[in-house]
Amino acid sequence: MAIILVTSLFFIWGFALNLNPILIPHLKQACQLTDFQSALIDVASYLAYFLMAIPAAQFMKKYGYKGGILLGLILFAIGAFLFYPAAGVRNYTFFLGSLFVLFCGAAFLETAANPYITVLGDPEGAAFRINLSQSFNGVAASLAPYIGGLFILSAKDLTKAQEAAMSPGQLNSYLNKEASAVQLPYVIIGVAVLLVAFLISRTHLPEIAEEDPMAHLEAKKPLLERMQGLLKEKKLMAGVFAQLFYVGAQACVFSFFIRFSGQVAGMPKKHAAIYLSVATFGFLAGRVSGTVLMKFFNPVKILATYSAINVILVLIAVFSHSEVSIYALIGVGFFMSIMFPTIFSLSIRGLKKETKLASSFVIMGIVGGAIFPAILGLISDLTTIQYAYLVPAICFAYIFYFAYNNLKVKKLEMLAAGH
């Protein structure tokens, strides 16, 4: 039961994060936003992850995994419930605040669930448990765009000309109705999350004391001195930047997929949401097939090949027209699937007793999800959404450069990672 409940957490945060590509075009219309303003949805979400990861870890040191999970679920539910009044007043700042609270909760869940599932049971089954749990994260990523598109996005998209033809009262009524579409779905999410919190509160979750054989050595060095030492590790810093660019690329490609599909191929939002669901399913398929490929081929060469393919696919999306561009972006989802865990494993390779601290540096690269979508949105406002997709192309080019510089690595112990 403990494993089932902890595994459900992977589904919860995966579903929430992959609703962002639905919220971006939906709130853009409901709140009359620019592309840059709509990108603040990703900024609020990933910034919460970035800011709360360390406080979450410190909280769990004091109150245990169960305490961290329960607090995360409560914050998550509060954020979801706040969507109701935010939609009622149609205030975009309120929406961003709700998302920030929700993803502060998600940061607690992810900080707890990833290490906890590995130590919850027989050590020999740790790799199987985390990969199984993360597969539910992938399932959630595939379902979220489809379900969100079904229940949140409008059946009919109004053009700017159609909106301009409305009277102020008609337009206001229409926009209020658009904003209210998120109320019921997020209330249901909040209730479901509270139900999981109740079940966890009533379930015995064993507290597991993780032994760190290097703790006595680390204690001899002040934390600041250790951090300064890691900052001089060129391989690690290159990996941090690679992770920053990767998470930024992933957020860009998926978050603006519906907006891109509408502007480039004239595709209705609900139709584009189905294509996005296919792209996220491709991501899951890529992760599974990539894991198998890495048993036969050098993971670094796969990373270099996949990143080069993605540069080409994004350029096709930028310079092609009609649905060809959409199919290219769907392909990008498949080929970026193995990047996060591969970059992670490469970055911390050989750091021995500093592995844990180095890992936290690499995880902080998640802030790329707050930076690059905002850049893409700004470029889109100045040019077009199609040219703005040069941003993820540049990100994948850096990942290729990172992989190319690591081609001499013949063997790599892959570490499971959730993104």
Side-chain angles (χ1 to χ4, degrees):
M1 179 56 71
I3 289 173
I4 290 169
L5 288 172
V6 173
T7 296
S8 74
L9 305 180
F10 286 78
F11 185 93
I12 288 170
W13 81 68
F15 193 88
L17 193 58
N18 286 279
L19 275 181
N20 279 4
I22 300 296
L23 286 178
I24 285 175
H26 184 73
L27 293 184
K28 182 182 188 303
Q29 183 164 346
C31 297
Q32 301 286 278
L33 308 171
T34 65
D35 280 329
F36 173 75
Q37 289 169 330
S38 68
L40 296 180
I41 288 171
D42 272 342
V43 174
S45 305
Y46 284 97
L47 199 59
Y49 265 112
F50 178 74
L51 295 176
M52 292 306 295
I54 293 175
Q58 294 301 316
F59 181 90
M60 277 176 277
K61 271 187 179 180
K62 187 171 183 180
Y63 297 103
Y65 283 114
K66 186 172 182 177
I69 289 169
L70 287 174
L71 178 58
L73 288 169
I74 290 167
L75 286 171
F76 195 108
I78 289 171
F81 288 136
L82 285 173
F83 267 71
Y84 198 93
V89 296
R90 195 159 52 87
N91 185 292
Y92 186 53
T93 304
F94 202 159
F95 275 119
L96 293 178
S98 305
L99 272 172
F100 185 82
V101 173
L102 187 153
F103 281 102
C104 281
F108 270 82
L109 299 184
E110 188 159 357
T111 303
N114 273 302
Y116 192 55
I117 198 70
T118 61
V119 293
L120 191 61
D122 184 356
E124 291 181 1
F128 172 77
R129 284 194 302 275
I130 193 165
N131 280 295
L132 177 65
S133 296
Q134 286 174 356
S135 70
F136 281 87
N137 185 275
V139 170
S142 300
L143 288 176
Y146 178 76
I147 294 173
L150 201 61
F151 292 102
I152 294 176
L153 295 179
S154 304
K156 183 181 179 182
D157 301 333
L158 293 187
T159 64
K160 288 291 183 184
Q162 288 172 318
E163 288 182 9
M166 291 179 170
S167 69
Q170 287 176 321
L171 180 60
N172 191 56
S173 177
Y174 167 75
L175 295 177
N176 286 338
K177 185 179 178 182
E178 285 290 287
S180 68
V182 303
Q183 289 178 315
L184 183 58
Y186 274 86
V187 166
I188 292 172
I189 289 170
V191 170
V193 168
L194 284 184
L195 176 61
V196 173
F198 173 75
L199 291 173
I200 286 178
S201 71
R202 306 291 292 179
T203 302
H204 173 65
L205 292 187
E207 275 304 330
I208 299 161
E210 295 180 89
E211 293 183 10
D212 186 354
M214 297 296 177
H216 67 286
L217 295 175
E218 293 174 357
K220 293 180 180 178
K221 270 190 177 182
L223 179 61
L224 184 59
E225 185 180 332
R226 291 168 56 208
M227 291 176 69
Q228 288 173 338
L230 286 176
L231 288 172
K232 296 175 183 176
E233 292 282 348
K234 292 182 179 179
K235 175 185 56 135
L236 173 63
M237 289 299 102
V240 170
F241 278 102
Q243 207 67 283
L244 182 92
F245 278 91
Y246 165 70
V247 178
Q250 180 185 332
C252 286
V253 170
F254 286 155
S255 292
F256 283 90
F257 185 97
I258 293 174
R259 174 93 173 100
F260 183 96
S261 302
Q263 193 173 102
V264 175
M267 193 177 289
K269 291 192 187 80
K270 277 188 176 290
H271 193 188
I274 296 172
Y275 276 70
L276 176 58
S277 191
V278 173
T280 52
F281 180 79
F283 183 92
L284 175 60
R287 179 67 64 87
V288 174
S289 61
T291 302
V292 175
L293 279 175
M294 286 177 185
K295 293 182 179 180
F296 303 99
F297 300 98
N298 186 341
V300 186
K301 290 183 178 179
I302 295 175
L303 177 63
T305 303
Y306 278 21
S307 54
I309 290 171
N310 269 356
V311 171
I312 295 168
L313 286 173
V314 176
L315 290 177
I316 290 172
V318 170
F319 294 108
S320 296
H321 300 285
S322 71
E323 293 190 0
V324 172
S325 295
I326 312 305
Y327 297 141
L329 288 186
I330 290 173
V332 170
F334 179 91
F335 289 108
M336 68 181 171
S337 56
I338 53 91
M339 292 185 180
F340 190 97
T342 311
I343 293 169
F344 187 88
S345 301
L346 271 172
S347 304
I348 63 173
R349 184 178 56 87
L351 292 176
K352 298 179 181 178
K353 69 177 186 293
E354 295 293 4
T355 295
K356 280 190 175 181
L357 187 58
S359 297
S360 67
F361 274 51
V362 182
I363 292 296
M364 288 173 78
I366 200 171
V367 76
I371 296 169
F372 289 101
I375 296 172
L376 187 152
L378 189 60
I379 294 172
S380 177
D381 290 331
L382 295 172
T383 57
T384 66
I385 189 74
Q386 201 164 11
Y387 287 135
Y389 261 70
L390 287 171
V391 171
I394 293 168
C395 291
F396 289 125
Y398 179 83
I399 296 166
F400 173 78
Y401 171 76
F402 171 76
Y404 180 81
N405 283 341
N406 282 276
L407 283 177
K408 290 181 181 178
V409 178
K410 300 298 182 186
K411 188 177 179 182
L412 184 64
E413 182 183 349
M414 291 298 295
L415 301 174
H419 288 275

